[in-house]
Amino acid sequence: MKNPANISSNIRLGLCCQFLNEPIKFRNTTVKASSQMEREAALEKLSRLCRENALALQSSLEFCATHGIGCFRINSQILPLKTHPECGYQMSDLPAGADIVELFQKCGAYAREHAIRTCFHPDQFVVLNSPRRDVVARSIAELEYQSEVAEWVNADVVNIHGGGGYGDKPAALKRFAKNLKHLSPRARSRLTVENDDKTYTPADLLPLYQETGIPLVYDVHHHRCLPDALSIEAATEQALTTWNREPLFHISSPLEGWQGPRPNRHHDFIDIQDFPLCWKGLQLTVEVEAKAKEQAILNLMQLLRNRKK
């Protein structure tokens, strides 16, 4: 996958899901609103929302192409209520469902043509290592749905956290590995796992790669919030070895600084001092998790250019 000419020939920056100032909006609805409608009317509405979201995704990719942003994370609710047990649906249930799929496929073709990487980051309720079978079943359904859309749009990553520790992290990760067998090849081939700021460090998750081959999405902000024996340089080096394609990492800065009461909260922008020097020269996708969205990325691009001088 080629990298657009943004900050360098090596690092592509990724925009996460939505915009701060651009008039590009993704639509959603609620279970309450959908369940109060007749099924036919609800499907009509869901069809309209899905179509509008496909068009919004196209606009998002065009913005990224114009501004040299090399990656776009797609909202988990791009198909609203898709896996809900009562309000969910198949694309064949929707009026013009096949046409909606075609719109998403056109987004995928555009992303390929303009070397824009796309990816997914399912919501926190996706917990593959839960001891509850119903939670695992819902998690698998969500991963399958997002992987189906990922196939349409040429996305190569569906990224989740390790899940809960449940008082025994090694046993919980064994359960994670065991539950992978329930995923389709389409979902399994895209699945990645990310270190978090509460439970699983990079050192915790690297053995999971050894057992399963699941790549590690290294979140340096989470690592700073929940450190282990690995340095940032060592964690970076080891995370890189888990990938059979361009690695994907995350960057954030703390809202109130590293001495603030809650350093895990994200700032509007990225402090250039938080961008690891050891990432320089790597062929890498770095998703920017900052509240100022596209403005944060454009600002970081300029900061990185200035640092290179």
Side-chain angles (χ1 to χ4, degrees):
M1 183 182 291
K2 296 180 180 179
N3 187 22
N6 51 26
I7 60 169
S8 73
S9 60
N10 297 312
I11 293 179
R12 73 175 82 226
L13 297 181
L15 173 61
C16 297
C17 302
Q18 57 187 335
F19 295 82
L20 179 67
N21 295 327
E22 289 300 306
I24 301 172
K25 305 294 182 184
F26 291 90
R27 303 286 305 281
N28 203 353
T29 189
T30 64
V31 171
K32 181 178 180 181
S34 187
S35 61
Q36 289 178 344
M37 302 173 72
E38 294 291 336
R39 180 62 171 170
E40 183 176 354
L43 290 173
E44 287 277 0
K45 179 181 179 180
L46 289 164
S47 180
R48 183 175 69 255
L49 295 179
C50 290
R51 183 179 186 278
E52 291 177 8
N53 285 349
L55 296 175
L57 177 57
Q58 179 66 38
S59 297
S60 301
L61 296 172
E62 290 170 0
F63 178 91
C64 289
T66 300
H67 292 84
I69 296 172
C71 178
F72 185 74
R73 181 193 294 176
I74 299 172
N75 191 314
S76 295
Q77 297 301 316
I78 193 81
L79 302 183
L81 306 182
K82 178 66 168 64
T83 63
H84 190 271
E86 297 172 4
C87 303
Y89 50 90
Q90 299 298 321
M91 296 307 291
S92 57
D93 297 330
L94 298 182
D99 294 336
I100 294 169
V101 173
E102 186 175 344
L103 287 175
F104 280 107
Q105 290 171 335
K106 287 180 178 178
C107 291
Y110 184 91
R112 282 192 298 272
E113 180 183 353
H114 292 83
I116 300 170
R117 192 178 194 179
T118 54
C119 58
F120 286 82
H121 193 3
D123 296 327
Q124 296 290 337
F125 69 82
V126 174
V127 182
L128 206 54
N129 72 345
S130 173
R132 291 177 49 184
R133 291 184 179 180
D134 59 326
V135 172
V136 173
R138 288 196 298 271
S139 299
I140 289 170
E142 190 71 11
L143 291 172
E144 292 294 344
Y145 138 59
Q146 294 190 37
S147 297
E148 180 181 19
V149 183
E151 190 170 65
W152 301 342
V153 301
N154 195 42
D156 69 322
V157 168
V158 177
N159 178 50
I160 62 175
H161 290 161
Y166 304 105
D168 188 341
K169 288 196 288 187
L173 289 177
K174 287 288 185 184
R175 200 158 50 242
F176 184 109
K178 180 180 178 181
N179 287 332
L180 291 177
K181 68 181 181 181
H182 300 297
L183 294 175
S184 68
R186 174 170 63 191
R188 177 69 174 76
S189 66
R190 289 173 168 84
L191 191 69
T192 62
V193 65
E194 173 192 348
N195 61 295
D196 62 78
D197 59 357
K198 295 288 193 299
T199 306
Y200 290 106
T201 70
D204 291 327
L205 295 177
L206 283 164
L208 187 65
Y209 162 73
Q210 299 294 336
E211 182 177 354
T212 68
I214 296 291
L216 175 64
V217 171
Y218 176 48
D219 189 312
V220 67
H221 182 83
H222 287 166
H223 193 198
R224 286 167 170 147
C225 293
L226 183 66
D228 53 23
L230 296 174
S231 65
I232 289 174
E233 292 77 11
T236 294
E237 183 178 355
Q238 293 194 42
L240 291 174
T241 67
T242 68
W243 288 85
N244 62 0
R245 53 200 185 277
E246 182 173 301
L248 188 149
F249 288 1
H250 290 174
I251 184 76
S252 312
S253 286
L255 177 61
E256 300 166 292
W258 288 110
Q259 303 308 314
R262 295 174 60 189
N264 59 317
R265 297 169 66 193
H266 292 175
H267 199 285
D268 290 353
F269 293 91
I270 303 299
D271 184 334
I272 190 61
Q273 299 303 317
D274 292 329
F275 200 98
L277 285 172
C278 63
W279 291 4
K280 181 180 179 180
L282 298 178
Q283 191 74 39
L284 190 63
T285 298
V286 179
E287 287 190 312
V288 178
E289 296 187 325
K291 293 180 180 179
K293 299 299 180 180
E294 78 276 16
Q295 295 304 313
I297 291 185
L298 297 175
N299 181 71
L300 180 57
M301 284 181 180
Q302 188 58 52
L303 292 174
L304 288 168
R305 289 192 191 100
N306 292 342
R307 191 162 80 172
K308 287 176 62 181
K309 294 178 181 179

